[in-house]
Amino acid sequence: MIRNIVFDMGNVLIHWCPDDFLARLELTGEDRSLLRQEVFGCVEWVQTDRGTLSDERAAAAMKTRLPSRLHWAVDRLMVWWELDLRPMEGMEELLAELKGLGYRLYLLSNASVRQPEYFTALPVDRYLDGRILSSSYKLLKPQPEIYRVLLQEYDLRAEECFFVDDLFINVEAAMLVGMSGAIFRGAAPLRQALAEAGVGVKV
């Protein structure tokens, strides 16, 4: 029986799209491509999520690979949530319903140590019973160890957990440690997947 629902953050509870952030800064053409590659597509970005590199050191490294005219943009993109932090449609209503039905709700996210600076401002945060952030444990999804950290920290049984992520590799990793789950394709399809798993949500 499912008792716990575990959510990813980006593109599940909030929209996360690098091109949207670049558009907010009115960056186009070569500058846009350079920043997409050297900010969002670089090793340092992953290292901030793993918690092995500070945002400040990551930004400094990124700037060494970019022309000086784009250094200001690096600083803005490192605080991307200030550019565009939009809740995913239908998810606050779903979390409220799940909470009302007695399910325990958790966040398991690849995110830097600064996540609490912005996520707590979202309405969905108040429904969560706990959070596991990759940067706090020097682990990243889909490493199986981070799913086991969630289970150990909150004394959960894997077979009682349903995991939701927009990346199939992360859902598959959750299944390998004994959870069930679904790839996020919108609130309505998720409701259907939850109902099929025996969770009593409206479809």
Side-chain angles (χ1 to χ4, degrees), residues 49-52 133-140 143:
D49 279 356
R50 192 182 289 277
T52 56
L133 303 181
S134 58
S135 54
S136 299
Y137 297 91
K138 307 296 189 290
L139 295 167
L140 289 172
Q143 290 179 263

Side-chain angles (χ1 to χ4, degrees), residues 164-176:
V164 184
D165 199 292
D166 63 311
L167 299 178
F168 70 86
I169 193 169
N170 293 341
V171 175
E172 193 249 0
M175 291 177 172
L176 288 175

Side-chain angles (χ1 to χ4, degrees), residues 52-136:
T52 56
L53 189 68
S54 70
D55 285 3
E56 294 75 18
R57 290 180 59 197
M62 294 168 187
K63 289 174 183 177
T64 66
R65 301 189 296 267
L66 290 164
S68 59
R69 71 177 184 277
L70 295 178
H71 289 187
W72 69 273
V74 173
D75 293 330
R76 293 295 289 125
L77 292 170
M78 291 303 290
V79 287
W80 55 268
W81 56 90
E82 294 180 357
L83 298 172
D84 187 22
L85 186 56
R86 292 182 294 128
M88 187 64 69
E89 296 79 5
M91 290 304 287
E92 182 183 356
E93 295 84 355
L94 177 55
L95 266 67
E97 184 178 338
L98 289 166
K99 196 69 176 173
L101 291 168
Y103 292 94
R104 295 182 68 80
L105 310 180
Y106 298 91
L107 180 74
L108 176 56
S109 177
N110 286 352
S112 76
V113 294
R114 299 184 66 181
Q115 190 261 18
E117 292 183 25
Y118 56 89
F119 193 79
T120 52
L122 290 171
V124 294
D125 185 64
R126 67 175 177 267
Y127 300 109
L128 296 175
D129 294 288
R131 298 192 213 145
I132 297 295
L133 303 181
S134 58
S135 54
S136 299

